[in-house]
Amino acid sequence: DMKVTQMPRYLIKRMGENVLLECGQDMSHETMYWYRQDPGLGLQLIYISYDVDSNSEGDIPKGYRVSRKKREHFSLILDSAKTNQTSVYFCASTQGAGDEQYFGPGTRLTVL
Amino acid sequence: GEKVEQHESTLSVREGDSAVINCTYTDTASSYFPWYKQEAGKSLHFVIDIRSNVDRKQSQRLIVLLDKKAKRFSLHITATQPEDSAIYFCAASGNNYAQGLTFGLGTRVSVFP
């Protein structure tokens, strides 16, 4: 059963706190992504990972960093969270460019 | 970079009729055009895609058309059913891994009896 998981599903943090969002996939996909979804802005690409320790900035990387130490796990880190980082964050994975992306269930992050 | 414009923000269709969602893109190098469906409060679910080497693809009640000259692609949902009600996103990408997907803003489709 091909699956992308995300933890936690809901998170409330105060401005300035650190945030760790975790994503896992069981398909041995090389490429993984982090997106955020905001009303009126659609989905925006934050970071891409091509494999372990091989990451690249997406369209809106400022304020975020990522970590991929195992192929099946991809983490998104917010150092000192800001209120404008309140959003729904989606992780996705794919076997390759031009292939279907599988999305996780999302993490709803609120920064107060 | 690539920009994708999704022309209809909302669509309301009678059950059994067809719904058409139109998208345009800017990067002539884009070659992969997937569509995703998002039901209320849920994640995105792939529904159909088309690659630049064809101009039409059908999967059951879904038809995707691609016009490369006009840089336009569209999703046709035929014989709509209540379970088709959702937000549909078009997206585009090239063959370059680094680009990821660029999404449109979504179209909320409502199917009424």
Side-chain angles (χ1 to χ4, degrees):
Chain A
D1 189 23
M2 297 181 289
K3 203 170 180 180
V4 178
T5 58
Q6 289 185 239
M7 292 291 289
R9 296 292 315 280
Y10 302 90
L11 188 60
I12 299 175
K13 287 286 193 178
R14 294 200 179 277
M15 193 168 58
E17 291 185 328
N18 297 332
V19 176
L20 173 64
L21 305 184
E22 310 228 54
C23 174
Q25 50 100 357
D26 61 1
M27 297 167 279
S28 296
H29 284 169
E30 292 181 348
T31 308
M32 297 184 74
Y33 307 85
W34 278 106
Y35 295 91
R36 61 179 282 178
Q37 184 178 32
D38 301 287
L41 294 177
L43 278 93
Q44 298 173 277
L45 180 65
I46 306 171
Y47 263 96
I48 306 170
S49 175
Y50 307 115
D51 210 331
V52 171
D53 285 331
S54 179
N55 307 315
S56 179
E57 294 180 346
D59 298 323
I60 54 162
K62 188 177 179 182
Y64 304 94
R65 61 184 175 94
V66 292
S67 175
R68 192 157 178 213
K69 297 301 182 186
K70 292 183 180 180
R71 178 173 282 189
E72 60 269 24
H73 290 131
F74 189 33
S75 301
L76 181 69
I77 301 132
L78 289 67
D79 295 314
S80 188
K82 299 173 181 52
T83 55
N84 62 6
Q85 292 177 308
T86 292
S87 187
V88 180
Y89 291 85
F90 287 101
C91 174
S93 73
T94 185
Q95 184 55 44
D99 289 335
E100 175 186 348
Q101 287 191 18
Y102 293 83
F103 281 80
T107 295
R108 184 175 293 275
L109 172 66
T110 302
V111 182
L112 301 175
Chain B
E2 173 70 278
K3 288 182 172 43
V4 175
E5 184 176 356
Q6 198 159 343
H7 295 265
E8 297 81 10
S9 57
T10 60
L11 266 182
S12 191
V13 294
R14 187 177 299 278
E15 185 176 351
D17 288 350
S18 291
V20 182
I21 306 170
N22 296 286
C23 291
T24 50
Y25 61 99
T26 58
D27 189 351
T28 52
S30 287
S31 59
Y32 176 62
F33 307 93
W35 289 85
Y36 286 83
K37 177 182 181 182
Q38 186 176 34
E39 296 174 30
K42 296 190 177 180
S43 186
L44 282 81
H45 178 72
F46 171 86
V47 290
I48 193 170
D49 60 12
I50 191 166
R51 289 173 171 78
S52 58
N53 58 341
V54 297
D55 54 20
R56 185 183 190 277
K57 183 175 180 178
Q58 181 165 1
S59 174
Q60 299 181 317
R61 296 185 295 107
L62 302 177
I63 301 169
V64 181
L65 303 178
L66 174 63
D67 181 343
K68 292 188 290 293
K69 281 187 179 178
K71 288 188 277 189
R72 181 175 57 220
F73 58 114
S74 57
L75 175 67
H76 299 243
I77 309 171
T78 62
T80 52
Q81 299 172 1
E83 55 265 33
D84 295 327
S85 295
I87 300 175
Y88 290 81
F89 292 92
C90 62
S93 82
N95 290 323
N96 183 353
Y97 278 89
Q99 293 174 329
L101 285 174
T102 300
F103 284 86
L105 296 186
T107 299
R108 183 180 297 276
V109 174
S110 301
V111 179
F112 61 92

